[in-house]
Amino acid sequence: MKLAIILDPLEHIKTYKDSTFAIMREAAKRGHGLYVMEQHEVWLQAGRVLCRARRLDLIDDDLRWYSVEDPVVLPLTEFDAVLMRKDPPFDMEYVFSTYLLELAEEQGAHILNKPASIRDFNEKLSIAKFPQFMAPTLVSRDPELIRAFAAEHGDVVVKPLDAMGGASVFRIIESDPNLNVIIETLTALGARTIMAQRYIPEIAQGDKRILLIDGEAAPYALARIPKAGETRGNLAAGGKGVARPLSARDREIAETLGPQLKEAGLFLVGLDVIGDYLTEINVTSPTGMQEIAAQTGFDVAGMFVDALEKRC
């Protein structure tokens, strides 16, 4: 296969934990050709979606893990698959990229994840498509509604709809003296919609990341366990990742969502589950493959490339 990967600058990739690197390493081991580009290197010209692609070779060097050839201009239809692995933030530039990729798709390119579905599945709000797995939740920018929700449940988590890595996630109780200022700040005085959820105490046992690949769940989840004094399990917020077999509830959630997400063209998805509740559906650049593989021996990247080969 000839694979193109849209990603962040190569020099920023942390090879010891990056899932995109794990995918590239597995694909290269199988003899597939790798081409890389950054978000700004995809454009529309004369009705065609083009890219500036660089052939990538992985090398075993203490100073540098890759070499790249000079860039060439190619249509995205030149590749057997194009993997969208650009990390958030999901800003307007990201949205514009999905429009370009959707046009490329219409021209015959094979884009994973499907660009329209990346846009449609807000990683926090899309859990509302599966209400049977949600904790009590409010989505609003009305401070009065949010205060009433906090009063009803006593202990809640509030967070923006467009952040990542646990950024701007607050746990508040109804008697918190900072309640009003937190709500005012997150909602920008009622101008920005946020999510409030009843606090799930099982976060102490970890915020589980379940990886779905073409609708099928990897057999292990990565439980992100908060550090002392924290309520966020995100690894970016200092959480510790511990791989665990899927529970019966984890499998129920994965088996319910898997076929529907596959039908939507979402090839790689990270489900976040706390206790028995689905809290996020990550569709932009899910990670966790290397941590699971290192702790369990299960090759998640191999599962990914197996599924990709079947698709292509």
Side-chain angles (χ1 to χ4, degrees), residues 39 86-98 162:
Q39 189 176 6
K86 170 71 179 71
D87 285 343
F90 193 89
D91 54 15
M92 284 309 300
E93 282 302 316
Y94 200 114
V95 172
F96 295 149
S97 291
T98 67
D162 58 354

Side-chain angles (χ1 to χ4, degrees), residues 11 21 48 73 83 86 88 103 105 121 130-131 146 150 158 179 193 196-197 203 207 210 274 279 281 285 310:
E11 60 270 21
F21 175 76
R48 304 173 73 201
V73 175
L83 307 182
K86 170 71 179 71
L103 287 170
E105 195 175 47
F121 279 75
F130 307 97
I146 298 166
V158 290
L179 174 67
T193 302
Q197 290 179 317
I203 183 63
D207 180 353
I210 301 168
I274 301 175
T279 59
I281 301 175
S285 185
K310 290 178 184 177

Side-chain angles (χ1 to χ4, degrees), residues 164-184:
M164 59 171 286
S168 299
V169 175
F170 292 87
R171 178 187 175 187
I172 52 177
I173 58 175
E174 194 269 336
S175 60
D176 192 323
N178 294 309
L179 174 67
N180 286 333
V181 71
I182 290 171
I183 293 173
E184 290 169 2

